[in-house]
Structures are given as structure tokens and as C-alpha cells.
Amino acid sequence: MNMRDRDLWMVILSGLALGTLGVMLSVWGNPANSGICVSCFIENSAGALGLHNNPRMQYLRPELIGFLLGALASAAIGREFRSHGGSAPLLRLIAGIFLIIGCAVFIGCPIKLLLRLTAGDLTAVAGVLGLVCGVWIGIKAAVNGVELGSQRAEKTGSGLLMPFLFLLMLAFLIMRPDFINFSSQGSGAEAAPWVAALAIGFLLGGLAQRSQFCITGSIRDLIMVGLRSYMPWGLGTFLASALIVSAATGRLHLGLYGQPGAHLEHLWSFLGMLLVGWLSILLGGCPFRQLVKAGEGNTDAGLVVVGMFIGGGIAQSWGIAATAAGVSMYGKAAVLAGLAFVLVVSLLFRKRGTL
Amino acid sequence: MKIDKFDKLLGLLLASVLIALVLVLWQGSDRQAGTAKAVADRVMERELTYQARVALLQKLYGPVDELRRKGELQTALLKLDEVSRQYPGEAHGHVLQAEILHEMGVLEEALASYVAGIRLNGEYIDRKSPLSRREAISRLVTEGERDIVSRAKANPANRTLATALTNINYLKSRLAGGCE
Amino acid sequence: MSVCNMLHKNSASLKALTQLLITLLCTFGLSGCNFKQERKVMKIGYMICNSEQETIARFAPLTRYLSDKTGVEFVPVPVDTADFEGRFQKGEFALTHGNSLLYVILRENHGLQLLASEKRGHFGSRTAGAIIARKGGGITKLTDIRGKRMVFGPMLAPTGYLAEYDLMLRSGIDPERDLAYYAIPPGSYKHEKLIYAVLYGQFDVAAAPMLDLETMVKEGKIAADDFVILAQTPVIPYCTFGAAKETDPKLVAKIRQALMELTPETAVDVAGERIKVLKAAWVDGFEELQDSDFNPIREMAKRVNMPPYAKY
């Protein structure tokens, strides 16, 4: 490992920023242990856009907008913006739905999973195990020829569609037209100041685009090549910084019970995150990475993001999202449906005789 | 790239549509005050609906609160039964029942009632809601932990105590916050 | 010759095949037969609350459920409260369902084991008693009942007699001396009768179980505003399942588990009808209490000089 390699330090910086700011956003007003949670933010934003009517979860999260636009800006500056896509687009949209379903049943995306863990929430352990297992299964599937097909270059405009839509959301956030919902109670009303949140999202999106940092990608690299890859270093930095900042801000409460936004159905935490891990490998990144890739002009990732918004809407509308009381029957059925989906995809999208 | 007649036609149409869009938005901004008023009206409407609900609850359950103030807790429970017959499934009834049972020292049932109420409506655990019962719930959780946890440890096979513990843990989790 | 050998061999094979077929047919045929297995029969003594018919209607589905879950053929036996201890002592039934005072009596005198307690009403497996008067009748506090006519529930009713009697004694009112007179309604449905007796002015004051007040308010038979609750007793356990001390511990554990597993949706077939067990029994579920939870009743019984501590 070359300690002078700029890429290494970029990854470490990304991890450091994500871990530190992930906790600080919670200190500055975001829900407890949810300083950054792509799935929760998508559910909130879906509610703001009217995709569900849970009055407690409606807010256009500026962080989400910042992630994508920050990635766009970084890609543009680094001349890395390229419109490309065309690899099983509809399937990716559906996969995006199940990505959020998996997160909603656990109550958190892979970033929140680790933020919860570093805040002492031991219920996240089952989720970590599930995520690692899911990534491992995804790797095995990839090794056995499961892939969604290659992408091709597209006309420049197509890659700008998602950034345009997110710019529109930014306009909605600032202008607050009456068709956009804003919660006055519940977790949707808990938010860091929007300018700070947007700026932080922008910074993190840019750093993630530069470094290509991704939680599930880090786990994948750790399994496949160990510490020779830079990604696990970013993951380690993320964990360390989040743990230190949690402790320093008095948000470290070690235990299984009484944790914010956590339930005790460990099996479903495991399965939800297993689904997320597996899908993330199939799609080439966790929910956060999908946003960053969409900002880079990846239209397939853009469709995953659209699918995630749909998933955010139905997770709330159909009672799929878990709560502190536990996982509903619909949530369990949805996770199992997601696992069936990814199994069918693995069967159908497999290049046989590759190994 | 060679631009032909069709490209020019498309360009012209696009320019027309964009101009029309700008005009529509401009007209909308001319009625900026109206729009702002519409937004304000919507916010106000939401707020009024909310306040009306709070006022209605206070009116409906007022007799129960009155009996509680007089210390007639068992009559308050009976009165609550009467109101709940008309409005089954209303979270406020569960929460009031929890408060009365807590005052009467029936901790396990009080916990179960709070859980039922909060699962129906999370406002009762919000910090800023006028219906917030955070303090009362925190007190009950503390008392419940003192009483029930030790009994549950002494009787690990007792399912009733296990259920009470589950309720305590749920309330603790809700008090801690999170995305709900 | 070879043809004969062939025929001989074939007929032997045919015979073996036929025998196999017959054996298989018998096996399949017999497997469809529903041999009634001999099940152990045990009786559950159910204390009569209001009437014998009502008690059977309430608890027959629960009894059937316990039979299905444990493999023991349970038979419900309605038993008058006054006769309960005697019949239990004679061994007429090994399992009991009765009120908490009855549990204490059987526990102290015969070593009854605690199985599970019914959850019903606001206080779950507990309830309370109240001393009530009709609103507007001029009686507004407990001390006003001196010289008045009072109606109690049955003497062995913990929240219809014992708790209120104890409450009065602790408040310095002696029911034997300080009332004009007191009575216990005759016949069945005593609990409802005493509440109606006050409502319609036949008596001034009643010792009313809170559970009956709750039920009657929920059913719209009375209104909460009809009465003044002059005093309320401490909250104590109520109806309870018990098992004789010689009962097989494994069976005791099975019964307890079966009771705890009951949900509002659990249903059984009784006389060709599908009946929800808890709904039929008027019960919300079962809870595990400990024997020490019944100590307040023991203390009350001692103060009031009632069984099992009665001294003559």
C-alpha cells in the first residue's frame, strides 16, 4: 500500500468526513442516530413529494440533494461526467424499490447501520452480519456469472436528467410550494439547518465521487482483497471517527434496549440488510453510491434512485417500514419477496459457463 | 452536426414552449402574494385542523380530566369507557387510561396503555406537541424499570413480566427518538 | 417341463405379489381409520359467577381448547362457591377456576398450585372494589354511610364483600354496628343486582366490584354519572386457574403454557360451531402472577376474620 497515494487519502478523507459529519448532523438537529440515512431521507423526501401520507415523515432532505449535486460538480470539475447506462434499466428500478424495503425493515441504510453501531446500538450487530453476508453472497453470485450486462455511452442529456430533477427538488425546498409537504411533527420535523445540511451533503457527495467510497464496496473489497484495497481504510476511518464523535458528543449509549429507531427482531434486521448487501453488489453500490453515480451521469443509477423513491413511498404507505414496535407482516413479506426477486434475477442474468 | 429543417422546427417549438412556461411562471409570480397566501392558508389550515383536534379531544375527554382532578380515579375510568365506546381506537383514550392507571399504581397495564396510544399516534411522545406526555412516560418507564426488571430477572420464565419488559423497552426506544 | 417350471415360478410370484398387494391395501385402509385414543379424563371445577348455564357457556370452549392442547379430556363442572372447597377436598376435580379469595383458601388449606390469572378490564389480572351510592342521593362521602342500608355481594367475593368490608373497618366503620342493616341479594347475578339495587333506591350504598361496574357501563346498562364512588379498595388479583398439588408437573406446565398462548383469534369447535375462546369466556387473556401477589387478600381476610383465617 502506497501511503503517498492521493487516492488512499481521498478515501480516508471521505470516511472521516462521513463518520464525523454523520454524527454531527444528528447533533445539529437530524433524528437521533440518523445524521445520515439515505433510506430514511428518501422516505422523508418521498413523503414531501406526496408519495405517501405519513404526516410524521415528510421533508425534502437537503442532504440527499447535496449528495447528488456534489457528485455532479465533482465529476464535472474532474471531467468525469459521462452519460452512460442501458444495463437492465427496468430491473434496476425494481431493485431500487427492494433496496429501500430492505433498509426500511432494518430501519436504516448501510451508513445509518454503522452510525447506529458506533452509537452503541447493539441491535445493529444483526444488521452488520446481514450486510456482510449479503455482500458475500453477491460476490459469489458475481463470480458465478451473475451480471446485469454492460453499459454504453448515451447522449449527454440523459445523464443530466437526474441532476435536473434534484435541482428541481432544491427549488421546491427553497420555495416551498403548497404541493410539497413539510412535517410539523415527528422525525420529519427534526432537521439540521437546511443550508448546513445541503452544504454538508454537497461536500460528502463530492468527496464520495472523487474517492468512489462506498460502504458495501468497502466490505466487498475487504472480503476479496483484504487491506490491499483502499476502501476498507475508508470504512475503518468512518467507523473510528463516528465512534469518537459519538462518545465526545455524549451520544454513545451501549446496549440492546431503548435505542432510538431500533427494534428487537434481529432475524429481520439480518435479512433486511442481507437483501441490501446482495442488491448493492448486483447494482454496483449501496444507496448512497447510487446517488453519487447518478450525479456522475450514470442513468442506470438514476433509475435505481427513482426506484428508491418509489420504495420510500410504498414502504410507508403499505406499512412495510419497521418501527420500534417491530416488523409488520407486510415488511417480512416484502423482504422475502425481495430475496425471491434477487434469486430470480441471479438465475436469469447469469452467464453460464464463465467459470 | 448538420442542422436541418426538422432540427430548426424542433428548436422553434422548444423555444415557444419554454417561453410559455416562463410566462406561466411569471404570471404565477405576479400573483406572488396570492401564492404566498395560498401557502400560508395551507399552513394555517393544517395548524387550525390540528388545534381543532386538540380542542375536540379536550372537550370530549374533559369530563374524564375533571374527575381525575377531583381524585375520583375509578369514576374517571368508567367515564373513559363511555367516551371510548363512541370513539374506539382513539389514541387519546389509551393515553388517558395509561395516566389514570399509573396514578393508581397499576404499572403494567399503564405501560400497555401508553404503548397502545403511542403506536396509534406518536404525537404523545414528541417534545414539542401540545399533547406531549414525554415526562409522564419517562417517569413511568423509570418506575417500571425499578419494579418490573427485578421481578423479570427473578422470574425469567414469566411471560407476563416479559411482555411488560417489552413495553418498557419500546417506550424507551421511542423516548430516545429515531425515524418514526 | 420348462413351461411348467415357468408357470410354477410365475404362480409363486403372483402369489407373493397378491399377498403384498393385500398387505398394502390393508395398511392404507387402516390408516384412514380414526381410532379413538384413550384419553385421560380430568375435571375442572368452575366457580359459578352468575348462573350455572352462563358458566358452562363461558368456559366450555376454554375447556375444549385445553383438552386439544394437552391431550387430556377435560370436563367442565360448574360449582357453587359455597360448596367449592368441600367438593375440591373430596377430589371431585383436580383443576379449579375461581376468584382470588377462593384461591387463597384452597392454597392455604390444600396446597393448591397457581396456574394463571385472567386478564379482564382495566387492571388486567387485577381488579378493585368500590363503595358506591346513587348520585344525588345525598351520600357524598364514606362517613355518610353510617345508618344507611347497604348491599354486599356474596361473602366469598373478594371485590364484592371482602375488600369493601376491610375498607370500612380500616376507615373506622363497623358494618355490623354502624349501618342500618346490610344484605346480600339472593339467587343468581348478585353483582348486577346490587348495583341496580342502589340505582333504583332499594339500598343506599353498595359494595360493587369495579369489574362489574366497568362491564355494565361498557354495555350501556348504567352510566358512569349514575353513581358516586365513595371509596375504592386497593387493586387485587381476581379470577385464577389452579391445580391440585398432586397434579403432574408436566401437565401443569402444559396447561399454563396453553393459557398463556391464547390470543383473541384462538377458536375451537363446540357442538359444530366455531367459537373464539377468549371472547366466549369474557376474558382478554391470561397472566402469570406469583403467589405473593395474593398477599393483600390474605391480609384483608385476616382483618375481616374470613376464611381461611376465620376464628370462631
Side-chain angles (χ1 to χ4, degrees), chain A residues 38-39 42-43 46 51 64 68 84-101 103 148 151 158 162 165-166 216 275-276 278-295 297-313 341:
Chain A
V38 174
S39 61
I42 283 180
E43 286 176 52
L51 297 182
L64 274 185
L68 194 141
H84 57 292
S87 160
L90 185 57
L91 187 145
R92 287 176 187 267
L93 186 137
I94 307 291
I97 296 174
F98 283 117
L99 255 188
I100 292 302
I101 282 172
C103 292
L148 299 183
Q151 296 179 314
S158 63
M162 283 308 294
L165 286 173
F166 272 62
T216 47
L275 177 63
V276 171
W278 192 348
L279 279 171
S280 296
I281 297 300
L282 186 71
L283 295 169
C286 64
F288 175 61
R289 182 80 187 127
Q290 299 301 322
L291 282 164
V292 169
K293 283 165 75 168
N298 188 324
T299 57
D300 289 337
L303 277 164
V304 175
V305 170
V306 171
M308 291 201 289
F309 269 79
I310 296 171
F341 167 79

Side-chain angles (χ1 to χ4, degrees), chain B residues 43-107:
Chain B
V43 169
M44 178 72 84
E45 195 189 316
R46 234 186 182 184
E47 188 58 30
L48 280 173
T49 309
Y50 184 72
Q51 294 296 340
R53 179 172 175 268
V54 171
L56 178 64
L57 287 175
Q58 283 167 350
K59 185 183 168 194
L60 280 175
Y61 293 94
V64 178
D65 287 326
E66 183 59 33
L67 288 164
R68 276 180 68 195
R69 270 193 291 276
K70 289 183 193 170
E72 296 174 36
L73 297 179
Q74 287 188 336
T75 314
L77 276 178
L78 293 177
K79 196 70 190 167
L80 189 56
D81 280 341
E82 276 185 359
V83 179
S84 297
R85 255 202 354 254
Q86 292 174 335
Y87 300 93
E90 166 54 52
H92 201 72
H94 288 289
V95 169
L96 277 185
Q97 181 170 283
E99 290 180 326
I100 297 170
L101 291 172
H102 186 189
E103 279 182 73
M104 295 177 87
V106 189
L107 296 188

Side-chain angles (χ1 to χ4, degrees), chain C:
Chain C
M1 190 67 174
S2 60
V3 171
C4 288
N5 278 343
M6 223 163 63
L7 278 171
H8 180 70
K9 275 185 189 168
N10 278 342
S11 74
S13 302
L14 207 58
K15 194 177 170 188
L17 189 62
T18 311
Q19 279 173 345
L20 177 65
L21 273 171
I22 289 169
T23 312
L24 282 170
L25 274 167
C26 286
T27 312
F28 284 129
L30 285 170
S31 68
C33 291
N34 194 7
F35 290 114
K36 197 170 178 187
Q37 289 176 343
E38 288 289 321
R39 295 214 291 192
K40 184 179 171 185
V41 177
M42 286 179 79
K43 290 182 182 171
I44 305 178
Y46 286 99
M47 188 195 82
I48 296 171
C49 293
N50 289 322
S51 73
E52 197 174 310
Q53 291 90 341
E54 182 201 84
T55 302
I56 290 287
R58 278 179 68 187
F59 295 111
L62 178 58
T63 310
R64 169 59 61 85
Y65 166 78
L66 289 173
S67 300
D68 291 345
K69 288 298 257 187
T70 61
V72 171
E73 190 66 31
F74 286 113
V75 175
V77 177
V79 183
D80 198 79
T81 315
D83 302 332
F84 208 99
E85 190 186 358
R87 289 173 70 174
F88 178 74
Q89 196 175 6
K90 283 181 195 165
E92 264 194 58
F93 40 87
L95 294 174
T96 66
H97 177 272
N99 67 40
S100 41
L101 178 58
L102 203 55
Y103 162 76
V104 167
I105 292 169
L106 295 177
R107 171 83 176 194
E108 297 301 310
N109 294 344
H110 308 286
L112 187 76
Q113 300 178 71
L114 178 61
L115 279 179
S117 299
E118 272 178 17
K119 281 189 350 176
R120 204 176 149 200
H122 289 127
F123 305 128
S125 60
R126 293 170 169 81
T127 187
I131 296 176
I132 63 171
R134 188 168 41 89
K135 200 168 230 174
I139 300 173
T140 56
K141 51 190 187 302
L142 188 61
T143 47
D144 291 344
I145 73 172
R146 289 174 194 277
K148 297 289 188 289
R149 307 162 298 166
M150 184 162 180
V151 60
F152 282 93
M155 283 185 87
L156 288 179
T159 56
Y161 183 94
L162 173 68
E164 288 90 341
Y165 202 107
D166 175 63
L167 175 63
M168 289 164 72
L169 288 178
R170 286 189 288 115
S171 306
I173 299 171
D174 184 348
E176 309 299 332
R177 292 192 171 84
D178 296 330
L179 299 171
Y181 64 89
Y182 73 78
I184 294 170
S188 55
Y189 292 89
K190 288 183 170 55
H191 293 181
E192 278 199 11
K193 279 177 181 171
L194 61 89
I195 293 169
Y196 281 133
V198 168
L199 184 63
Y200 295 118
Q202 284 182 315
F203 284 84
D204 303 309
V205 187
M210 278 308 300
L211 198 52
D212 291 276
L213 284 170
E214 274 178 45
T215 307
M216 290 172 77
V217 165
K218 276 187 185 151
E219 291 173 353
K221 290 177 178 174
I222 58 173
D225 292 331
D226 288 340
F227 299 98
V228 173
I229 295 182
L230 304 171
Q232 49 212 30
T233 75
V235 175
I236 53 176
Y238 199 39
C239 291
T240 297
F241 265 100
K245 63 183 177 195
E246 332 52 73
T247 313
D248 176 16
K250 282 184 191 161
L251 179 62
V252 167
K254 260 190 187 174
I255 295 169
R256 186 180 287 121
Q257 185 175 351
L259 289 170
M260 298 303 295
E261 279 173 358
L262 273 166
T263 68
E265 284 71 42
T266 310
V268 292
D269 288 318
V270 176
E273 204 183 331
R274 195 98 183 126
I275 299 178
K276 286 186 179 172
V277 172
L278 288 179
K279 191 175 177 187
W282 302 354
V283 165
D284 298 328
F286 285 88
E287 277 187 358
E288 286 184 65
L289 293 183
Q290 296 160 273
D291 182 67
S292 55
D293 292 320
F294 293 78
N295 286 345
I297 297 170
R298 292 185 169 97
E299 299 307 314
M300 285 177 189
K302 285 174 188 167
R303 286 193 291 265
V304 176
N305 193 33
M306 281 198 65
Y309 308 107
K311 291 180 182 135
Y312 302 100

Side-chain angles (χ1 to χ4, degrees), chain A residues 14-319:
Chain A
S14 299
L16 183 69
L18 204 56
T20 306
L21 294 170
V23 179
M24 289 312 296
L25 276 169
S26 197
V27 173
W28 292 327
N30 278 0
N33 287 2
S34 298
I36 295 174
C37 174
V38 174
S39 61
C40 301
F41 289 175
I42 283 180
E43 286 176 52
N44 284 175
S45 301
L49 294 171
L51 297 182
H52 68 73
N53 61 1
N54 182 348
R56 298 172 64 79
M57 292 193 72
Q58 295 171 336
Y59 180 53
L60 273 176
R61 290 280 173 187
E63 296 91 339
L64 274 185
I65 300 169
F67 293 152
L68 194 141
L69 295 180
L72 170 70
S74 173
I77 291 167
R79 294 175 187 272
E80 287 176 0
F81 182 90
R82 272 166 197 61
S83 293
H84 57 292
S87 160
L90 185 57
L91 187 145
R92 287 176 187 267
L93 186 137
I94 307 291
I97 296 174
F98 283 117
L99 255 188
I100 292 302
I101 282 172
C103 292
V105 165
F106 168 72
I107 315 183
C109 73
I111 295 177
K112 181 175 170 178
L113 166 72
L114 298 178
L115 287 174
R116 275 171 58 176
L117 189 69
T118 51
D121 181 353
L122 295 179
T123 64
V125 172
V128 170
L129 291 172
L131 188 70
V132 171
C133 284
V135 169
W136 183 83
I137 294 170
I139 293 170
K140 287 291 173 201
V143 162
N144 279 280
V146 175
E147 58 160 65
L148 299 183
S150 53
Q151 296 179 314
R152 58 180 184 281
E154 293 180 350
K155 300 285 182 194
T156 310
S158 63
L160 287 170
L161 275 170
M162 283 308 294
F164 174 73
L165 286 173
F166 272 62
L167 269 171
L168 199 57
M169 284 208 293
L170 179 60
F172 289 160
L173 173 67
I174 296 167
M175 290 161 53
R176 297 206 167 203
D178 58 0
F179 52 82
I180 298 294
N181 303 312
F182 289 89
S183 289
S184 55
Q185 40 172 302
S187 58
E190 293 177 46
W194 74 268
V195 175
L198 181 66
I200 288 170
F202 200 86
L203 171 69
L204 291 173
L207 284 172
Q209 193 282 323
R210 287 272 96 223
S211 64
Q212 312 230 323
F213 180 65
C214 165
I215 303 288
T216 47
S218 304
I219 298 172
R220 178 202 61 209
D221 285 3
L222 192 62
I223 292 171
M224 290 177 75
V225 297
L227 293 173
R228 290 197 302 277
S229 162
Y230 295 159
M231 291 294 167
W233 292 92
L235 183 64
T237 314
F238 170 47
L239 288 169
S241 56
L243 183 64
I244 291 166
V245 178
S246 284
T249 54
R251 281 161 187 264
L252 177 60
H253 305 290
L254 191 67
L256 206 56
Y257 304 112
Q259 296 287 352
H263 60 73
L264 297 170
E265 296 201 49
H266 305 301
L267 171 65
W268 294 99
S269 291
F270 176 86
L271 287 175
M273 276 291 125
L274 187 144
L275 177 63
V276 171
W278 192 348
L279 279 171
S280 296
I281 297 300
L282 186 71
L283 295 169
C286 64
F288 175 61
R289 182 80 187 127
Q290 299 301 322
L291 282 164
V292 169
K293 283 165 75 168
E296 290 176 333
N298 188 324
T299 57
D300 289 337
L303 277 164
V304 175
V305 170
V306 171
M308 291 201 289
F309 269 79
I310 296 171
I314 66 175
Q316 288 294 319
S317 298
W318 294 4

